[in-house]
């Protein structure tokens, strides 16, 4: 019945009312329907001071044994996060700290490779890096990725970085050196230990028929239950222990070699100091150069001379040394 018929009918009141179908299944559209991005982690200004503090914290954790392989463990990262915030007021996440660890490790590796090229080169005692022309540095950058930054300035925090990375970094030399330890043994020790301690019983089909006789396994009892099979642990476990022993021996030899070189030659070599003598204005025929050649056979005199801040002060120091000895 149409609405018009319903109005004209005497029984209009009995006309059925059209049903109103509610609008279901439609959710109100929010004003901003795009998913919210997680807040960006603030970048850290890794200036010299912040990097120095971080390196000190790394050394502390390495000394506490919180670097079991090539990286810190969870406790080590937590301690570094806490210490860095206390000393700098900057909040650094584990990801940021790990990224910086990896970056410092690469810098240390590039620097050590660069130092292998130092023979026959000049040395800038102010910048504390190799003093060579652009052509030399161009070739060095091609051979050693990441070393270009050291043209303007040498590696900072080298002593701390050596404590963190010297025994877990290879620098690609073809001969054995007491200063270099095979990092592959270190990186694989944990993996080998895990494999050695996680053997599981195997199915009967996977064991050769002669193996039960070799290791003395008895046949199953009448109850039908098989006795526990002893697990052979002699293979990879022995290799893991050997790797650790080799690692400890090589590390000990490297430490002894470094200590010997340090005591014998001191912090600066004769060649390095005599180059600084020339740079400060003491020519080969000068009295200052002559007295330097007498003084700097002793490491104490070399180290004292290198503490002087400018070339002018160094030259005057050599002149006074000469006058004190020969002009009386």
């Amino acid at each position: 019945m149409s609405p018009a018929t319903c109005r004209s009918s005497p029984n209009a009141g009995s006309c059925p009312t059209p049903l109103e179908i509610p609008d279901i299944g439609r959710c109100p559209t929010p004003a901003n329907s795009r998913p919210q991005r997680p807040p960006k982690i603030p970048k850290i200004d890794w200036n010299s001071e912040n990097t120095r503090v971080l390196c000190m914290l790394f050394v502390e954790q390495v000394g506490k044994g919180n670097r079991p392989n090539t990286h810190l463990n969870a406790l080590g990262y937590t301690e570094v996060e806490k210490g860095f915030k206390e000393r700098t007021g900057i909040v650094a996440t584990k990801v940021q700290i790990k990224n910086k660890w990896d970056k410092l490790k690469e810098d240390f590796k590039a620097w050590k490779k660069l130092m292998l090229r130092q023979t026959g080169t000049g040395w800038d005692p102010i910048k504390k890096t190799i003093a060579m022309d652009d052509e030399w540095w161009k070739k060095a950058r091609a051979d050693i990725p990441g070393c270009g930054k050291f043209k303007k300035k040498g590696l900072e925090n080298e002593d701390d970085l050596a404590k963190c990375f010297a025994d877990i970094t290879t620098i690609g030399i073809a001969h054995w050196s007491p200063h270099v330890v095979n990092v592959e043994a270190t990186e694989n020790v944990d993996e080998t230990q895990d494999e050695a301690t996680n053997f599981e019983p195997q199915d009967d089909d996977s064991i050769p028929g002669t193996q039960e006789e070799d290791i003395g396994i008895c046949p199953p009892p009448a109850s039908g239950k098989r006795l526990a099979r002893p697990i052979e642990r002699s293979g990879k476990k022995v290799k893991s222990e050997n790797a650790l022993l080799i690692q400890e021996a090589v590390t000990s030899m490297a430490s002894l070699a470094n200590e010997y070189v340090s005591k014998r030659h001191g912090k600066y070599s004769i060649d390095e100091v005599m180059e600084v003598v020339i740079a400060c204005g003491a020519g080969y025929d000068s009295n200052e150069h002559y007295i330097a050649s007498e003084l700097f056979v002793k490491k104490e005199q070399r180290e004292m001379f290198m503490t002087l801040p400018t070339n002018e002060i160094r030259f005057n120091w050599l002149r006074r040394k000469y006058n004190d000895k020969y002009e009386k």
Side-chain angles (χ1 to χ4, degrees), residues 3 11 22 26 30 34 80 91 99 121 127 136 149-150 162 183 196 226-227 233 285 287 292 294 297 301 306 308:
N11 297 325
R26 297 181 182 177
R34 294 182 179 179
V80 171
V91 177
N99 288 343
T121 64
K127 297 180 180 179
W136 188 93
K149 67 180 73 176
F150 300 127
V183 70
R226 180 176 292 277
L227 296 176
R233 297 180 181 269
D285 295 331
N287 294 333
E294 289 188 342
V297 294
Q301 295 286 356
M306 293 300 287
L308 302 178

Side-chain angles (χ1 to χ4, degrees), residues 102-320:
D102 292 337
K103 183 66 171 62
L104 291 172
K105 182 180 177 182
E106 290 303 313
D107 288 347
F108 178 78
K109 186 175 180 179
W111 175 255
K112 286 304 179 184
K113 287 184 177 180
L114 190 64
M115 289 300 98
L116 293 177
R117 293 171 169 258
Q118 188 181 354
T119 304
T121 64
W123 181 260
D124 189 330
I126 306 301
K127 297 180 180 179
K128 296 182 179 180
T129 190
I130 294 174
M132 292 296 288
D133 57 21
D134 292 340
E135 189 63 28
W136 188 93
W137 277 102
K138 182 179 179 180
K139 189 175 187 306
R141 282 195 295 267
D143 296 339
I144 308 173
C147 77
K149 67 180 73 176
F150 300 127
K151 180 180 180 181
K152 296 182 179 179
K153 190 176 184 181
L155 181 69
E156 294 182 323
N157 310 300
E158 182 177 358
D159 292 341
D160 286 344
L161 295 179
K163 294 174 183 177
C164 294
F165 306 125
D167 59 339
I168 60 171
T169 303
T170 55
I171 55 177
I173 59 177
H175 60 281
W176 182 87
S177 169
H179 301 282
V180 179
V181 177
N182 187 358
V183 70
E184 294 181 358
T186 306
E187 292 177 342
N188 292 333
V189 163
D190 290 344
E191 181 181 352
T192 307
Q193 287 177 332
D194 291 341
E195 292 176 354
T197 56
N198 286 298
F199 284 104
E200 296 181 358
Q202 300 177 355
D203 296 334
D204 294 340
D205 295 338
S206 64
I207 302 175
T210 58
Q211 187 173 359
E212 291 191 358
E213 297 177 1
D214 294 339
I215 61 177
I217 295 179
C218 300
S223 62
K225 295 183 179 179
R226 180 176 292 277
L227 296 176
R229 180 182 292 114
I231 300 173
E232 285 290 318
R233 297 180 181 269
S234 59
K236 294 184 178 179
K237 185 68 174 178
V238 171
K239 292 181 180 179
S240 172
E241 292 174 354
N242 289 341
L244 286 172
L245 290 174
I246 293 171
Q247 174 70 20
E248 292 174 359
V250 174
T251 302
S252 177
M253 293 174 66
S255 299
L256 291 173
N258 285 332
E259 183 178 354
Y260 172 78
V261 172
S262 177
K263 288 182 178 180
R264 181 178 178 85
H265 299 292
K267 189 175 181 180
Y268 302 99
S269 68
I270 294 177
D271 290 341
E272 290 175 345
V273 177
M274 292 307 292
E275 287 179 1
V276 179
V277 170
I278 296 293
C280 77
Y284 288 103
D285 295 331
S286 66
N287 294 333
E288 290 76 17
H289 191 279
Y290 177 76
I291 194 65
S293 65
E294 289 188 342
L295 292 173
F296 296 151
V297 294
K298 297 182 178 180
K299 66 178 182 179
E300 293 83 2
Q301 295 286 356
R302 296 197 298 269
E303 292 176 1
M304 176 60 70
F305 177 74
M306 293 300 287
T307 62
L308 302 178
T310 66
N311 285 337
E312 181 180 359
I313 294 174
R314 291 176 182 138
F315 183 85
N316 291 334
W317 185 83
L318 291 172
R319 175 170 291 176
R320 291 185 63 180

Side-chain angles (χ1 to χ4, degrees), residues 71 77 93-103:
H71 290 81
Y77 283 120
T93 66
K94 176 182 176 180
V95 173
Q96 290 174 317
I97 293 173
K98 181 182 180 299
N99 288 343
K100 189 61 177 177
W101 171 281
D102 292 337
K103 183 66 171 62

